[in-house]
Amino acid sequence: MKFIKSVHPVAASLLITAGLPKDLNINDPTSIKSVTKTIAAGAMSYYKGDATKFVDLDAPYYWWQCGAFMGSMLDYSHYTGDTSYDPTIATALLAQRGPDNDYMLPTHFGQEGNDDQAMWGFSIMAAAERNFPQPDTSAPSWLDLSANLWNSLVSRWNTTACNGGLLWQIFASNPNGLDYKNTVSNGGLFQISARLARATGNETYAQWAEKVWDWTEAVGLIAHDYMVKDGASSSKNCTDTNPLSFSYTAGIYIHGAAVMANLTGDPKWIDRTERLVHTTSLYYFMDDTKIMHEAACEGVGKCNTDMRSFKGYLARFLYASAILVPSIAPTVNEILSASSAAAAQSCTGGQDGTTCGQKWYVGGFDGLTGLGEEMCALETIQGLLAGHATPPLKGDQIKVVREFRSTPASPAAPAASSSSAAVSNKRGARRARNP
Ligand SMILES: *[C@@H]1O[C@H](CO)[C@@H](O)[C@H](O)[C@H]1NC(C)=O
Ligand SMILES: *[C@@H]1O[C@H](CO)[C@@H](O)[C@H](O)[C@H]1NC(C)=O
Ligand SMILES: *[C@@H]1O[C@H](CO)[C@@H](O)[C@H](O)[C@H]1NC(C)=O
Ligand SMILES: *[C@@H]1O[C@H](CO)[C@@H](O)[C@H](O)[C@H]1NC(C)=O
């Protein structure tokens, strides 16, 4: 499909060596794979788990971001065909399923919100839609885990105020309290409902997708201009709309709408998808250059650790949506090609010249580093390959696969070994900069 038309000979994809992001050619799949191999390694340098053991991310990263990060790595595997991280991803996703197989973890009850659960949900849903290997015969399938997670989320639909909606938080003990209804939580339920509807054909999920969309619009959290606002208070019956907007909530609703459009073919859903994408392309992308930015915080230098990863989810969901709704593909291609080129030029920091920065519009590395910065660049650049990956599966295409697929070993090319040595130095470089 759209993004990269020329498909290179199969052999090319088997011999990818890690390359420097600054050399990215956005029109060459081999170059994209080579650059994303480097950035994926940079991102994975933050994760201490492996194929046999889950290890949560170190502070300041919250548990939810680990689930979201595994989603970035699932995309890496799916788009590039480099399956070398697959066992690590599967181990992490299975380790966090919790005693009820629904991603409610007693050890995280102090912090787990509906949005956190949903972020893990996006990843297991992607695993289901791709027949990603699930090696543990004692655990449910990715699809069943997703359905369990959905049951848990939907059980908290709360009609005490605002005529419905999920609160942000689940536990009263959380200092954030039980008063805020936000779009990341409700968008999470919306998108997972839509994806389960498409994956299973079960009408109940489609009805919930309709219901959550309608609720979000009715309380004004999807505004008339299709800006997705952050949230509103239950105690004010959701009349005090928070004017802030973040890129990932737009992405979350876009993908839910795109899945509904693809499932139903209904012009209503196609229209909603197009309008959301249009507004998003204006608000989160620079007017002249079309470079993506986190509008609420980058310009004023106030992006917190969470916010530093948000652009990655917008990129992820825009690419995934363009596969399903062809009419948005030209816009998505334009804005994410420009953003990919800029992101690559920001990944020129650190001793080895491959650490990614935050503000892509400055025209190079800006010195702001972290897992979020790596994830944003990774999702944005690897998604250029989305057009020739298998579209999300559904119905009886979805199967439980136990065996991992192997990535044929690359020959020991000098470029690969020098680059991986450089990547392993990165943490030292980061520590020196951010003691
Ligand atoms: C709260 O808002 C909902 C719509 O969002 C409305 O139907 C309901 O009447 C409002 N309740 C009160 C007490 O104002
Ligand atoms: C559809 O999903 C709902 C919600 O999980 C479930 O209660 C219902 O049994 C499912 N229907 C069918 C036909 O599988
Ligand atoms: C429903 O929301 C209200 C606030 O509007 C909150 O006080 C209550 O605890 C919530 N109920 C549940 C089950 O979370
Ligand atoms: C849904 O997406 C698939 C996969 O890209 C595509 O082949 C199909 O044409 C789409 N259907 C609709 C109704 O857009």
Side-chain angles (χ1 to χ4, degrees):
M1 203 202 68
K2 292 74 207 170
F3 308 111
I4 299 291
K5 292 215 167 68
S6 62
V7 178
H8 283 228
V10 171
S13 69
L14 307 182
L15 303 173
I16 302 296
T17 55
L20 293 172
K22 73 175 177 56
D23 297 330
L24 176 68
N25 174 354
I26 60 167
N27 297 307
D28 175 7
T30 304
S31 170
I32 296 166
K33 289 177 188 177
S34 157
V35 164
T36 52
K37 185 168 181 167
T38 299
I39 301 174
M44 283 298 283
S45 74
Y46 287 84
Y47 182 66
K48 307 229 178 69
D50 58 28
T52 56
K53 182 166 65 18
F54 171 77
V55 180
D56 205 353
L57 294 169
D58 287 337
Y61 303 104
Y62 285 109
W63 174 74
W64 75 267
Q65 193 168 339
C66 194
F69 177 38
M70 292 304 144
S72 304
M73 296 306 296
L74 280 167
D75 282 0
Y76 173 72
S77 171
H78 189 61
Y79 293 153
T80 67
D82 176 359
T83 58
S84 47
Y85 298 107
D86 286 6
T88 299
I89 299 167
T91 296
L93 293 178
L94 287 169
Q96 297 305 289
R97 68 188 194 274
D100 298 327
N101 292 311
D102 60 359
Y103 294 80
M104 286 303 297
L105 266 89
T107 49
H108 290 295
F109 279 178
Q111 57 164 265
E112 185 167 353
N114 286 305
D115 52 345
D116 303 314
Q117 192 184 20
M119 294 301 294
W120 281 89
F122 299 147
S123 298
I124 53 171
M125 200 62 232
E129 290 162 346
R130 295 169 183 175
N131 287 343
F132 186 74
Q134 198 291 59
D136 184 348
T137 52
S138 70
S141 67
W142 299 123
L143 189 60
D144 287 344
L145 288 165
S146 303
N148 293 345
L149 185 150
W150 182 89
N151 279 321
S152 164
L153 271 181
V154 87
S155 73
R156 293 189 288 265
W157 187 257
N158 184 322
T159 53
T160 304
C162 314
N163 212 16
L166 290 179
L167 289 163
W168 178 21
Q169 296 299 327
I170 300 171
F171 298 100
S173 58
N174 189 300
N176 291 304
L178 292 176
D179 190 34
Y180 194 57
K181 292 190 173 172
N182 62 357
T183 44
V184 57
S185 300
N186 286 284
L189 176 60
F190 167 62
Q191 190 196 101
I192 295 168
S193 299
R195 291 168 77 174
L196 280 169
R198 186 177 177 280
T200 66
N202 181 327
E203 190 60 28
T204 303
Y205 298 123
Q207 285 161 359
W208 270 97
E210 295 275 357
K211 175 171 168 158
V212 183
W213 174 281
D214 289 348
W215 175 84
T216 312
E217 240 183 7
V219 296
L221 291 176
I222 295 172
H224 294 298
D225 62 357
Y226 282 74
M227 273 300 290
V228 180
K229 306 291 185 182
D230 191 66
S233 312
S234 213
S235 56
K236 302 268 166 47
N237 199 30
C238 290
T239 54
D240 61 336
T241 310
N242 180 342
L244 286 178
S245 290
F246 293 98
S247 60
Y248 73 150
T249 50
I252 289 167
Y253 276 91
I254 287 168
H255 191 50
V259 172
M260 289 303 287
N262 190 266
L263 170 67
T264 63
D266 186 337
K268 169 182 86 179
W269 284 112
I270 297 171
D271 184 63
R272 288 170 174 174
T273 308
E274 289 170 351
R275 286 174 192 271
L276 284 168
V277 169
H278 176 71
T279 296
T280 294
S281 74
L282 300 179
Y283 189 75
Y284 297 105
F285 294 80
M286 292 289 176
D287 289 345
D288 44 355
T289 58
K290 309 292 179 206
I291 295 171
M292 183 164 41
H293 62 123
E294 193 59 51
C297 65
E298 281 185 12
V300 292
K302 294 216 164 129
C303 295
N304 68 22
T305 303
D306 290 351
M307 295 169 193
R308 291 161 80 153
S309 69
F310 288 173
K311 297 195 301 273
Y313 318 121
L314 175 56
R316 176 196 301 183
F317 292 131
L318 281 171
Y319 283 122
S321 300
I323 303 294
L324 300 174
V325 179
S327 62
I328 63 168
T331 300
V332 170
N333 193 19
E334 182 197 357
I335 62 183
L336 291 181
S337 293
S339 298
S340 293
Q345 295 314 309
S346 96
C347 296
T348 51
Q351 284 169 6
D352 56 333
T354 65
T355 300
C356 300
Q358 179 184 110
K359 299 174 191 176
W360 300 341
Y361 54 84
V362 303
F365 177 65
D366 65 356
L368 299 169
T369 63
L371 175 59
E373 281 79 359
E374 300 291 318
M375 286 168 62
C376 290
L378 181 64
E379 292 269 19
T380 304
I381 299 170
Q382 69 195 4
L384 293 166
L385 299 166
H388 48 201
T390 308
L393 304 174
K394 59 179 182 177
D396 56 17
Q397 295 172 321
I398 296 181
K399 298 187 165 56
V400 179
V401 172
R402 299 291 183 199
E403 297 291 309
F404 287 107
R405 302 153 297 175
S406 63
T407 299
S410 313
S417 46
S418 72
S419 174
S420 56
V423 165
S424 64
N425 284 334
K426 279 176 104 170
R427 291 194 77 86
R430 277 198 194 88
R431 256 185 237 111
R433 200 166 30 252
N434 288 324

